[in-house]
Amino acid sequence: MTLPSKVITYAYIAVAHQSQEADVYKGYYFPSGTTFVPNVHGAFHDESKFSEPFRFNPERFLSENADFDPFSMGGFGYGRRTCPGRYVALSSSWLAISRMLAVFNILPTQDENGKAKVTPPEFISGLVVHPAPFEVIFNLRSEKFFEMIQEDNGNL
């Protein structure tokens, strides 16, 4: 199975914000009450920050721009309005995904000849872009791990 070669933008714009007072930024005057709509797509595809912004390359956040934090770019809001629950959301997601990967082998479906059916991903557009429904096979890795997860769910 191959990863997508192109970056998929899940949200093109973020929630609008409104200025509380007049401001001048880079020579432009913005009166009080100006509405700003953050361009998330533009920020994540900025050629001055990324050498190949449209190529799928998650490592870019680790080395090329080590001081660039993708989570400050709109996934959880901006400035004073940054989501206070972002750390819980990230930790919960990590726990859920790591538990699924520990307990299951996740495989593509197979055709009538037993070969893996790997189709290009499809996405549904909207305010937030998300994957279209697709089929995979979940094979249990170990009954022991499954029981361990079942027991631990009662303690969360």
Side-chain angles (χ1 to χ4, degrees):
M1 184 186 319
T2 60
L3 291 171
S5 60
K6 188 174 179 184
V7 174
I8 293 128
T9 302
Y10 293 98
Y12 289 94
I13 59 172
V15 176
H17 288 71
Q18 191 173 55
S19 64
Q20 295 178 343
E21 56 189 50
D23 195 10
V24 176
Y25 180 74
K26 293 188 177 183
Y28 292 95
Y29 173 75
F30 299 98
S32 176
T34 300
T35 300
F36 294 92
V37 181
N39 180 357
V40 177
H41 179 79
F44 278 110
H45 295 86
D46 185 351
E47 291 180 359
S48 69
K49 288 193 181 290
F50 307 116
S51 58
E52 295 178 273
F54 291 95
R55 188 173 76 78
F56 182 76
N57 178 16
E59 290 83 12
R60 77 181 73 214
F61 298 113
L62 299 176
S63 57
E64 182 180 336
N65 293 286
D67 60 334
F68 178 76
D69 178 13
F71 296 108
S72 69
M73 297 303 295
F76 291 101
Y78 297 91
R80 293 183 304 131
R81 304 286 186 222
T82 301
C83 176
R86 66 188 175 277
Y87 301 111
V88 173
L90 290 170
S91 295
S92 299
S93 298
W94 187 89
L95 283 170
I97 292 167
S98 63
R99 285 175 160 208
M100 282 196 315
L101 293 175
V103 175
F104 297 103
N105 285 319
I106 305 170
L107 307 166
T109 56
Q110 298 176 347
D111 63 17
E112 53 278 346
N113 298 322
K115 294 191 99 176
K117 286 195 306 189
V118 180
T119 57
E122 294 179 20
F123 295 89
I124 298 171
S125 293
L127 182 59
V128 176
V129 178
H130 59 278
F134 60 95
E135 293 184 9
V136 294
I137 300 170
F138 282 78
N139 285 339
L140 194 57
R141 288 179 184 250
S142 161
E143 191 67 39
K144 181 180 176 184
F145 286 145
F146 184 71
E147 289 170 5
M148 215 167 53
I149 296 292
Q150 291 282 356
E151 289 173 16
D152 195 40
N153 279 338
N155 298 325
L156 295 178

